[in-house]
């Protein structure tokens, strides 16, 4: 089992930046894909970005390309999501996810965190 704990959410204004963290525990995630998803009120959960822990390969949703950056810290077993130029439409609960099966970066994740709220005011 992998446990994921997100942190770093909050209330910011449009144009501001925020960094989310996802700390993984329980087992090594060195051969996992790690991802961030988000779910806005009344909408389905959507993929945001993912990273292969072993290779560092990343995959971004078009809506966040150029504004969001995913990274990992091997020593801390933590994945980060740096969010710049935030927009009101980025408002959502952000979830960290992990998987060690399949080649897809955007679906079939097995482990999920509890989520952290990000609110962007206009």
């Amino acid at each position: 089992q992998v446990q994921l704990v997100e942190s770093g959410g909050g209330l910011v204004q449009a144009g501001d930046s925020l960094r989310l963290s996802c700390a993984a525990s329980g087992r090594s995630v060195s051969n996992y894909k790690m991802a961030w998803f988000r779910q806005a009120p009344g909408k389905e959960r959507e993929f945001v970005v993912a990273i292969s822990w072993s290779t560092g390969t990343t995959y971004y949703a078009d809506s966040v390309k150029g504004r969001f950056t995913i990274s990992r810290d091997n020593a801390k077993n933590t994945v980060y999501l740096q969010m710049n130029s935030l927009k009101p439409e980025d408002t959502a609960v952000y979830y960290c996810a992990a998987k060690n099966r399949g080649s897809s970066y955007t679906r079939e994740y097995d482990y999920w965190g509890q989520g952290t709220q990000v609110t962007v005011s206009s």
Side-chain angles (χ1 to χ4, degrees):
Q1 289 282 348
V2 174
Q3 290 80 44
L4 304 172
V5 178
E6 304 100 331
S7 61
L11 171 63
V12 297
Q13 293 186 335
D16 285 352
S17 298
L18 204 59
R19 189 178 79 159
L20 306 182
S21 300
C22 172
S25 63
R27 61 174 57 180
S28 171
V29 293
S30 60
N31 64 338
Y32 278 59
K33 291 182 177 67
M34 306 291 292
W36 289 94
F37 288 75
R38 66 186 181 185
Q39 187 167 20
K43 295 187 177 181
E44 292 188 355
R45 186 170 59 195
E46 66 172 353
F47 170 80
V48 176
V49 61
I51 186 168
S52 167
W53 197 282
S54 59
T55 67
T57 301
T58 58
Y59 189 88
Y60 289 86
D62 288 342
S63 58
V64 304
K65 279 181 182 177
R67 300 189 299 123
F68 290 12
T69 303
I70 190 171
S71 62
R72 70 203 190 288
D73 185 323
N74 291 331
K76 296 183 178 179
N77 233 28
T78 298
V79 170
Y80 300 100
L81 180 62
Q82 178 66 43
M83 305 185 293
N84 298 329
S85 302
L86 282 162
K87 305 175 181 180
E89 51 263 43
D90 294 317
T91 295
V93 177
Y94 283 71
Y95 296 92
C96 180
K99 60 182 282 187
N100 67 343
R101 62 183 179 93
S103 59
S104 172
Y105 279 79
T106 65
R107 62 183 188 273
E108 298 175 340
Y109 282 81
D110 297 307
Y111 303 102
W112 295 86
Q114 81 288 351
T116 186
Q117 177 71 45
V118 172
T119 303
V120 185
S121 64
S122 58

